[in-house]
Amino acid sequence: MTVPARTASEETSASEENPPPPREAQREPQRELPREPQREPHRETPRPTPPEPQRETQTRESRGADARALTQVLFKKFATLEPGTPEHARVRAALIEANLPLVRYAAARFRSRNEPMEDVVQVGTIGLINAIDRFDPDRGVQFPTFAMPTVVGEIKRYFRDNVRTVHVPRRLHELWVQVNGATEDLTVLHGRSPTTAEIAERLKIGEDEVLACIEAGRSYHATSLEAAQEGDGLPGLLDRIGYEDPALAGVEHRDLVRHLLVQLPEREQRILLLRYYSNLTQSQISAELGVSQMHVSRLLSRSFARLRSANRIDA
């Protein structure tokens, strides 16, 4: 059976009744598969960083503990060694090296003495060596506790005997230390510099002793005479010290000559003045006075003889 073909008008009406779906509608949307949530990588919780001063304190304490532990081990070995052997010297040097921070700590107390810190540390090291040689670990005392008085005592002895330009009595020096401490305490207490009377009352001593101690405390170094004073344009001490005038010795001689010249005749006085004050020669003097040169020479000789005979200094 043959299906009759549609006419153009029928196809147009059929397309109007059933329009074709749009292209977007013809495509079915793709379904996205559900994704698994991504796991973040495991991160360690950062530990809180201690403040800088606290870390420095902890580092210093740990170093101190390590140095003490090393010192104990070295002293145990040091006690078993024979003095004079190479091993004894090596362990002794290791003990000195391990305890040098103790010397620097003790030397820092003397920074106000205006002395090179290297010299103070060197003197303190001598005290450290003496403490190492005398230390006995069996007594149950920590080495820093034993060595600190020896190191400080060696430094104080150095300041007492070698640093001072002017040596003062030991009692006065020890009293000056007390005066210095009392001055600091009274300054904190009153908020000002204490008077001499307040320091004397605090220490139960006389004001004269306080003044003597203050002067002794200033005698560490002698002031250079050529050093400039504080401030700009101020001359040094040497420029303000008087000196002997070289013309001072001639004052007496000039007075004596004046006294002797008035005793000579007038013509001889004039000849001496022309010869030694006007610097004329004998020929010029003879022409000036109208006499011969020989006569001028004889007058000069006679004048000198009279002056020498009347000179009370030569007599």
Side-chain angles (χ1 to χ4, degrees), residues 10-180:
E10 291 177 352
E11 290 181 358
T12 303
S13 61
S15 61
E16 291 178 356
E17 291 177 0
N18 298 319
R23 295 181 180 180
E24 289 79 3
Q26 291 177 359
R27 297 178 182 177
E28 296 182 358
Q30 296 181 358
R31 296 180 180 179
E32 295 183 357
L33 299 176
R35 298 180 180 179
E36 296 182 359
Q38 296 181 356
R39 296 180 180 179
E40 296 182 358
H42 178 68
R43 298 180 180 178
E44 296 183 356
T45 304
R47 298 180 180 178
T49 305
E52 190 69 22
Q54 183 177 358
R55 283 192 296 175
E56 291 180 358
T57 304
Q58 294 176 355
T59 304
R60 193 182 302 112
E61 291 177 354
S62 62
R63 290 178 180 175
D66 295 342
R68 287 192 294 270
L70 178 61
T71 300
Q72 293 178 359
V73 173
L74 291 175
F75 267 117
K76 289 181 181 179
K77 186 175 183 180
F78 187 68
T80 60
L81 298 175
E82 184 70 21
T85 59
E87 186 67 16
H88 182 274
R90 187 184 66 81
V91 175
R92 185 168 179 260
L95 282 169
I96 296 172
E97 186 70 23
N99 290 276
L100 279 179
L102 179 67
V103 178
R104 297 190 184 96
Y105 174 77
R109 299 169 53 182
F110 300 88
R111 289 186 180 276
S112 60
R113 299 296 183 89
N114 297 326
E115 192 69 14
M117 189 54 55
E118 295 180 358
D119 295 347
V120 180
V121 171
Q122 186 175 5
V123 173
T125 305
I126 297 175
L128 174 66
I129 295 173
N130 295 334
I132 290 174
D133 294 337
R134 294 188 291 106
F135 181 66
D136 187 2
D138 297 334
R139 294 185 177 181
V141 180
Q142 293 290 335
F143 177 72
T145 305
F146 173 81
M148 182 60 74
T150 306
V151 174
V152 174
E154 192 70 29
I155 296 175
K156 287 183 176 180
R157 191 178 302 109
Y158 167 74
F159 278 103
R160 185 190 67 199
D161 299 336
N162 299 323
V163 174
R164 286 183 176 271
T165 305
V166 180
H167 292 277
V168 298
R170 183 171 183 177
R171 175 186 172 279
L172 197 60
H173 173 70
E174 294 176 351
L175 191 59
W176 172 77
V177 177
Q178 299 178 13
V179 169
N180 194 25

Side-chain angles (χ1 to χ4, degrees), residues 244-254:
E244 184 177 355
D245 191 349
L248 187 62
V251 173
E252 185 176 359
H253 295 286
R254 286 195 298 269

